[in-house]
Amino acid sequence: MSFINTINSITKTEQSLSSLPLRLIAGLIFAAHGAQKLFAWFGGYGLEGTGQWMQSIGLEPGFFMALMAGSAEFFGGILLLIGFLTRPVSFVLAITMIVAIFSVHINNGLFMSNNGYEFALSLLAITLALFVQGGGKYSIDRHVYRKLIKNT
């Protein structure tokens, strides 16, 4: 498979608007959560604090895990907002949510009121839908795909 074919398969997307609200809302949520982990914005603890907490629950090395999760969420959220590399970003964020569910929330049951997995499960569902659909009509992915198709 050539490089162009790979890019085409990554950026090919549904032509509907259904991805737009999913991308915008999930992108905002992920970027904000990542900013909490990376920069201590919005009441977060930053890399040091998040890393210490991750280490305390067995995700080691804690600082590195906080950096990876925070980067996936922050930069992935920004990429979702603009609809660029939606499928690979959604895959990474889905894995991040699976880790969050099974390492933090699963023993607390479903509901958020008990620190359960309901919110992470919702984000997992959104990322899986975006993985299947792609970025949609108003995304950079669609623009890239259309340009590549014209040039091949």
Side-chain angles (χ1 to χ4, degrees), residues 145-152:
Y145 180 76
R146 289 177 73 194
K147 290 286 186 187
L148 289 174
I149 291 300
K150 284 182 184 177
N151 294 330
T152 57

Side-chain angles (χ1 to χ4, degrees), residues 7-149:
I7 297 299
N8 277 344
S9 63
I10 289 172
T11 59
K12 186 175 182 181
T13 182
E14 299 288 325
Q15 301 304 310
S16 72
L17 291 173
S18 62
S19 294
L20 185 62
L22 297 176
R23 280 193 306 102
L24 295 179
I25 293 168
L28 178 65
I29 291 168
F30 278 117
H33 277 268
Q36 288 181 312
K37 290 175 180 72
L38 294 177
F39 313 120
W41 295 352
F42 312 116
Y45 298 104
L47 283 173
E48 285 297 325
T50 304
Q52 289 173 4
W53 174 76
M54 286 187 164
Q55 189 117 358
S56 76
I57 63 167
L59 295 173
E60 297 181 16
F63 184 88
F64 178 73
M65 297 302 283
L67 178 64
M68 296 304 292
S71 295
E73 291 175 357
F74 182 73
F75 296 109
I78 290 170
L79 290 172
L80 284 183
L81 283 168
I82 63 174
F84 186 53
L85 300 174
T86 303
R87 283 195 167 97
V89 165
S90 295
F91 179 77
V92 169
L93 290 171
I95 298 299
T96 304
M97 289 301 94
I98 290 169
V99 170
I101 289 168
F102 288 104
S103 64
V104 178
H105 302 289
I106 196 74
N107 292 329
N108 301 320
L110 175 66
F111 298 105
M112 284 176 53
S113 59
N114 296 326
N115 197 29
Y117 56 89
E118 119 183 82
F119 184 60
L121 187 64
S122 298
L123 290 173
L124 174 61
I126 292 170
T127 57
L128 292 175
L130 288 170
F131 180 76
V132 171
Q133 293 182 50
K137 187 173 183 177
Y138 295 115
S139 66
I140 292 177
D141 286 342
R142 180 173 183 248
H143 179 72
V144 169
Y145 180 76
R146 289 177 73 194
K147 290 286 186 187
L148 289 174
I149 291 300

